[in-house]
Amino acid sequence: MVASMGVVRAMKRGSKFVLLGAGFTILVILALFGGPWLALWHASKPSPASRPLLAEGLPPSFQEADQAFSARILSKFPAGSPEADLIQALDAQGFQRRDIGKVRSSSFVQQALPCKLMWDVNWSANEGGEITHIEARYHGVCL
């Protein structure tokens, strides 16, 4: 009888280890597979900053979107148009300004895993406030 009680205790202790082992295994599986999925889901949510109107409706490939964005900017703000209109439009849409010498520049950056998307507009203007040269580029860096 005493021997059988010892066997029962050993079995209870053994089942506790099995349950602990199973729980640990499940926890490891959730961490390995659930963690990355949760991170991907969280990162793929739209950025708090909305995409600028000038960047809406671009084609999905970077090369085509770059060409479309450039054409869009050049058609709305061609050389000879007022620099003030360009600056006002870019500022209103959240572009960040940084000038380097006579070349003026504004950029909009959006973090959207797996890519960091960037819209850049570079231009120069004469003393009369007219755009003399303008370039626009859309590009991204993806994981």
Side-chain angles (χ1 to χ4, degrees):
M1 179 90 153
V2 175
S4 64
M5 287 179 65
V7 170
V8 170
R9 284 186 194 148
M11 286 175 50
K12 285 183 179 178
R13 192 175 315 136
S15 63
K16 285 181 183 178
F17 286 122
V18 169
L19 287 175
L20 271 174
F24 181 74
T25 301
I26 291 170
L27 185 62
V28 167
I29 289 170
L30 285 174
L32 288 175
F33 295 104
W37 280 108
L38 182 60
L40 185 60
W41 171 79
H42 181 69
S44 66
K45 291 190 317 184
S47 170
S50 64
R51 187 170 286 184
L53 287 175
L54 289 168
E56 287 297 322
L58 295 175
S61 86
F62 281 122
Q63 185 177 7
E64 292 174 4
D66 179 40
Q67 292 169 352
F69 180 65
S70 180
R72 186 177 293 173
I73 294 296
L74 294 175
S75 70
K76 290 185 183 279
F77 308 101
S81 62
E83 177 189 30
D85 293 349
L86 172 65
I87 292 170
Q88 181 181 6
L90 295 175
D91 288 351
Q93 293 184 38
F95 281 74
Q96 298 299 310
R97 181 93 181 270
R98 64 186 194 296
D99 296 342
I100 304 165
K102 292 186 177 190
V103 176
R104 294 161 174 115
S105 179
S106 280
S107 297
F108 188 93
V109 177
Q110 185 178 47
Q111 297 288 345
L113 271 182
C115 299
K116 177 181 178 180
L117 308 175
M118 294 161 277
W119 294 266
D120 299 313
V121 180
N122 301 309
W123 72 95
S124 50
N126 60 24
E127 291 80 26
E130 296 174 330
I131 297 171
T132 56
H133 178 77
I134 187 165
E135 296 176 349
R137 183 162 185 246
Y138 167 67
H139 54 106
V141 177
C142 297
L143 299 176

